[in-house]
Amino acid sequence: MPDQWTRSLEYYSRAQQSLAGGVSSPFRRTFPVPLYFQDGEGSKVQDVDGNWYLDYVLAWGPMILGHKHPALVEAMQKAAERPFNYGAQHELEFTVAETICRLVPCAERVALTSSGSEAVQLVMRLARAFTGRTLIVKFEGHYHGWMDSTLLSYHPSPAQMGAPEQPTIVLGSKGQVPNVVENVVVLPWNDRRTVSEFFAGRGQEVAAVMTEPVLCNSGCLLPVPGFLDELRRITRASGSLLIFDEIITGFRMAAGGAQSVLGVVPDLASFGKAIGAGLPLSAVAGRKEIMDLLSDGQVAFGGTFNGNCLSLAGAQAALIELEAQNGEALRRANRLGEELMGGITRIGQRLGLPLQATGFGTAFSVHFTSRPVLHNYRDTLADDRELLRHWLFECLREGIFLLPDGRVYTSVAHTSEDIERTSEAFERVLVRCASEVHV
Ligand SMILES: Cc1ncc(COP(=O)(O)O)c(C=O)c1O
């Protein structure tokens, strides 16, 4: 272990004596050691050993404005002088909801929750209540939170996953209630034919089809042209609903989410992460007649922290920044991200490395693969994970902090200089990788 992470290693050993596993989410138990942080500013974070990194993790997505954005700091300072929570109504609830309705195409009404997993539970309950059906169609490789009813076939092993056109539903955790599989069907993503065949037989049972509009949780894969349109058409024709889980794409791909870019409007959508710019906030948005089931209590939901004042003060400040100049800040962040994507692809080609970058500017993934196209989770299983791990480790040593699956998030705080520095670091690292794999 290089001595640049001595203190993180010490903290990790100590944390394990009190905090289960030494980390607050098992996803964060990363190689070579989970890093412990003490500060950050704009696009950069500093670990407890004093190393600074260009931050492309961004807390797994939320820090869309970067760290300590002046507008957010000011909003939080003001909010700190006022009550944090009323457990009753206040103005920020409806002003934030109004902004979401203005920005997001499907949003006629909004409900506020605290975490993404929770928003997904609500969106599924609404769909089941509205249609009077129980079956939810989800896709292999998609992540919709860690709850019993959704942690299914997220990253099944090849031995577990069954035939491509009829994936076996695989539970994601020990302790998960096994009969949740009775109310869910898992299909391969980006495969119109399989979805059509399934709907031809059982379409009338389906409450909703739920999808990440861009498959960010399995390699940032884009929908093939026409796939989301087909989901829209087929759900409408069979009286079921279309749900977009926009917890990553929302307020990141564009201020109006993926639905505003890809041109397919779902009935319901879940939002989280970037909506609170680092504060715990999530939301469900959708058609009025569905969301109205909440108004008269037909659909039950609750949450002590729903409408929390600090979270909404953060969201309000963030949404003002994201909405300004017709969403220019995010357009620029996406452009810079695309430059980085293009840059690493060209370097890989020049060095003859089997490298592909997939996704969009503010959320893309680096794959070491010789597969020419990646359409779904199974296609990513051919990725060279050892090479990825090596690349991530070398990037970290160069001061580039990336997600452990090779995902790269950019924020409005990243500058052209950051992107240039990162491209140079990618090049140095890839040259080293290339010499080691003897291409
Ligand atoms: C698409 C998607 N849905 C739901 C969730 C769950 O959100 P949370 O971690 O806030 O519970 C995540 C988290 O990464 C996600 O990426």
Side-chain angles (χ1 to χ4, degrees), residues 195-211:
V195 175
S196 304
E197 280 169 13
F198 178 79
F199 266 80
R202 296 184 63 189
Q204 300 305 312
E205 293 171 50
V206 176
V209 173
M210 178 162 68
T211 183

Side-chain angles (χ1 to χ4, degrees), residues 12 59 68 78-79 110 118 127 246 250 278 324 339:
Y12 184 45
K68 296 196 219 158
K78 281 197 187 136
V110 170
E118 214 185 338
E246 294 236 37
E339 276 176 32

Side-chain angles (χ1 to χ4, degrees), residues 25 27-28 60 62 114-120 142-147 150 154 210-214 216-217 244-249 270-273 281-282 407 409:
S25 160
F27 290 110
R28 301 178 195 164
W60 292 69
S114 297
S115 73
S117 297
E118 214 185 338
V120 170
H142 290 229
Y143 180 71
H144 301 292
W146 62 274
M147 303 292 178
T150 46
Y154 165 42
M210 178 162 68
T211 183
E212 294 185 55
V214 176
C216 295
N217 282 296
F244 280 180
D245 182 351
E246 294 236 37
I247 282 167
I248 293 179
T249 49
S270 44
F271 293 90
K273 297 196 188 260
L281 179 69
S282 60
R407 222 178 315 173
Y409 285 140

Side-chain angles (χ1 to χ4, degrees), residues 295-339:
S295 314
D296 59 8
Q298 286 189 64
V299 168
F301 99 111
T304 304
F305 295 110
N306 292 355
N308 178 271
C309 304
L310 292 174
S311 296
L312 288 175
Q316 189 188 42
L319 293 177
I320 289 172
E321 295 299 313
L322 299 181
E323 198 180 11
Q325 295 174 276
N326 201 19
E328 176 51 24
L330 274 183
R331 270 200 301 281
R332 184 182 152 281
N334 275 292
R335 273 198 307 273
L336 285 180
E338 274 160 29
E339 276 176 32

Side-chain angles (χ1 to χ4, degrees), residues 24 39 109 168 176 208 291 325-326 342 349 371 394:
S24 290
D39 205 0
R109 294 288 185 275
T168 308
Q176 195 174 358
M291 299 298 290
Q325 295 174 276
N326 201 19
Q349 278 163 355
R371 280 191 87 103
E394 291 295 326

